[in-house]
Amino acid sequence: MKKIAYIELDTHAEIAGNFMELMMGSKAFKVDYYFSEKIIKQIGKHHSNIHLSESTELLNQLNDQQYDLIIIGTAHRYFNLFKEITAKYNTSIIVHNLNFAKITHFQLFKNIFKKDFRYRLKLYLKEDLFSAPDVFKKAKKLLVLDQSLVRDDLQYLPVFFNQFQLNNTTEIFTIVIPGEVSQSRRDYKKVLQQLKSFKSKTHFKIIFLGKADGKELRSLKDFSNESSENISIQYFIQKVPQQEFDEIMQSADVLWCPIQKGTEFFSNKEIYGETKMSGNVGDAIKYGKVAIFPTGYDSEYPFLIPERDEVEQQILNVDNSYDYNFHIKFNRQKVSAQLEETLKILL
């Protein structure tokens, strides 16, 4: 039985949790997980193979074991640590921002002064920010979580599987817009403008499923006071608890994902669907929901529907026009087998 270490000290707890679920009971691999306290709290699980770790402890913990493969879930910090790991072990890294993985030392230096200067200076002084390009170059394989992003030497790592099949049975048509309510990530101005032009007598409930504040929160409050009788909206001013998030996502008739095409990571341009995956893809798979994405989002998944100009009618036709068997095509056992085959390639 081959031994794997999965490391997540930073941000992507849900992906780490999915990996755990898929590898549970594996007869081909024994997996140890090295998580920060923050990640363990988000996952909410405690098993003998989950080890509390910090950047200062991880190397010693790894040295006590003999791993055939190490997977780094997020390499956005601790570059000095990950540089040592990639130099010593057979290491694969999940890449969430493809352009950042190709950034030059000179560009890194310039970007320190563009935004979040104190935080970036800390990364430079204490975590060897300039080692970032070396970390990605020394990794045996770079992994992506969306098949549409596979190119060159990138390897697809299947970690998303269908967990819910409940469909909404109420007369109210529920549209859920998942994700942090931030104009920089999603075009909420356009959504509110489109809602004002809805003409059907259908009762729509629009749920902005993420924390809202600042200008976005004020816009939602204003719209709520001005909207027509057949449109109601719900929004949140605090982080939504996971159980409530799950329940609301299951209640959706359709997901509406007005993601911005362009975004940034470390002041480096990234493009959703080209160099960066939207987390809403994983949401659609997990909850078994058809999702409306902006035209131009590059994806091979048929359940991601390009938004049309007549978006109201498109939304109403979702139930009749689109049928996708998430519970079959993204069955947990099926994805688990695919994951194991991929891990064998990485050995």
Side-chain angles (χ1 to χ4, degrees):
M1 182 177 285
K2 299 296 184 179
K3 292 183 65 177
I4 297 176
Y6 187 106
I7 299 166
E8 183 55 80
L9 305 178
D10 200 353
T11 55
H12 292 97
E14 183 172 356
I15 294 168
N18 281 9
F19 191 95
M20 285 183 62
E21 291 289 330
L22 292 168
M23 294 305 296
M24 196 174 296
S26 173
K27 295 179 180 179
F29 298 96
K30 179 184 182 300
V31 188
D32 287 331
Y33 300 92
Y34 294 89
F35 295 155
S36 62
E37 183 177 4
K38 170 187 172 184
I39 298 298
I40 289 177
K41 284 182 178 179
Q42 291 182 65
I43 289 178
K45 296 177 181 177
H46 301 277
H47 298 292
S48 59
N49 60 341
I50 298 179
H51 306 280
L52 176 63
S53 187
E54 295 180 358
S55 60
T56 55
E57 301 173 345
L58 184 57
L59 270 178
N60 288 333
Q61 291 173 307
L62 296 178
N63 287 336
D64 293 337
Q65 305 290 333
Q66 290 185 329
Y67 290 111
D68 300 288
L69 171 66
I70 290 179
I71 295 177
I72 298 174
T74 309
H76 293 167
R77 290 188 59 186
Y78 314 117
F79 304 106
N80 49 348
L81 167 66
F82 294 143
K83 183 179 179 180
E84 290 193 56
I85 291 175
T86 53
K88 187 173 182 180
Y89 298 98
N90 171 22
T91 307
S92 293
I93 301 175
I94 298 175
V95 180
H96 305 279
N97 299 279
L98 296 183
N99 284 343
F100 180 72
K102 298 183 292 185
I103 198 169
T104 65
H105 294 93
F106 178 65
Q107 191 63 51
L108 275 173
F109 178 74
K110 289 201 306 180
N111 289 358
I112 289 176
F113 303 96
K114 290 184 178 180
K115 195 184 294 184
D116 302 325
F117 175 71
R118 292 179 63 182
Y119 173 71
R120 295 181 181 187
L121 186 62
K122 173 190 171 184
L123 293 183
Y124 168 66
L125 295 174
K126 294 186 176 182
E127 300 179 19
D128 195 9
L129 173 63
F130 284 178
S131 289
D134 302 322
V135 169
F136 294 110
K137 286 177 183 176
K138 287 186 176 182
K140 180 181 178 182
K141 208 71 177 177
L142 300 182
L143 311 173
V144 291
L145 305 181
D146 186 339
Q147 286 178 305
S148 303
L149 297 180
V150 174
R151 62 180 70 95
D152 301 327
D153 295 329
L154 299 175
Q155 174 70 50
Y156 171 57
L157 187 74
V159 295
F160 297 111
F161 60 100
N162 180 237
Q163 300 178 46
F164 302 93
Q165 291 90 43
L166 180 66
N167 291 317
N168 188 12
T169 58
T170 67
E171 293 182 1
I172 299 175
F173 197 101
T174 302
I175 302 169
V176 175
I177 304 176
E180 180 186 357
V181 184
S182 168
Q183 183 64 24
S184 64
R185 293 293 185 94
R186 293 170 183 82
D187 195 347
Y188 291 101
K189 291 180 180 178
K190 181 181 178 182
V191 168
L192 294 179
Q193 193 63 39
Q194 288 170 309
L195 289 174
K196 290 179 181 178
S197 65
F198 277 25
K199 299 176 181 178
S200 75
K201 296 181 180 180
T202 303
H203 185 181
F204 290 102
K205 182 176 183 180
I206 321 297
I207 303 178
F208 294 83
L209 190 52
K211 180 182 177 181
D213 56 19
K215 293 180 180 178
E216 288 79 16
L217 178 58
R218 290 193 291 273
S219 295
L220 292 175
K221 287 181 177 179
D222 291 342
F223 182 86
S224 182
N225 294 329
E226 299 170 0
S227 60
S228 62
E229 292 182 0
N230 65 322
I231 295 181
S232 61
I233 71 169
Q234 181 180 359
Y235 52 85
F236 301 84
I237 59 174
Q238 301 291 339
K239 180 178 173 62
V240 183
Q242 187 61 49
Q243 183 176 347
E244 185 175 3
F245 187 95
D246 290 341
E247 291 172 354
I248 292 174
M249 289 292 282
Q250 290 179 78
S251 75
D253 287 292
V254 65
L255 303 183
W256 194 359
C257 308
I259 59 172
Q260 301 279 14
K261 186 169 181 62
T263 185
E264 288 187 353
F265 179 78
F266 206 83
S267 297
N268 214 45
K269 289 185 178 180
E270 302 285 350
I271 301 173
Y272 279 110
E274 294 182 24
T275 71
K276 184 177 180 65
M277 172 189 176
S278 168
N280 291 149
V281 177
D283 290 333
I285 295 170
K286 179 177 180 178
Y287 298 99
K289 302 294 180 181
V290 170
I292 295 177
F293 268 59
T295 301
Y297 185 93
D298 190 14
S299 176
E300 299 175 2
Y301 295 123
F303 53 85
L304 302 185
I305 307 169
E307 181 179 315
R308 299 199 301 261
D309 291 338
E310 64 281 10
V311 66
E312 179 184 11
Q313 196 58 49
Q314 184 182 21
I315 287 171
L316 288 172
N317 287 340
V318 162
D319 283 345
N320 300 323
S321 303
Y322 306 98
D323 184 21
Y324 195 86
N325 297 317
F326 290 93
H327 62 288
I328 296 175
K329 297 180 181 179
F330 287 96
N331 174 273
R332 175 178 169 175
Q333 285 72 29
K334 182 177 180 179
V335 177
S336 180
Q338 292 171 347
L339 176 57
E340 286 199 349
E341 289 302 311
T342 303
L343 294 175
K344 291 175 184 177
I345 295 172
L346 301 178
L347 292 175

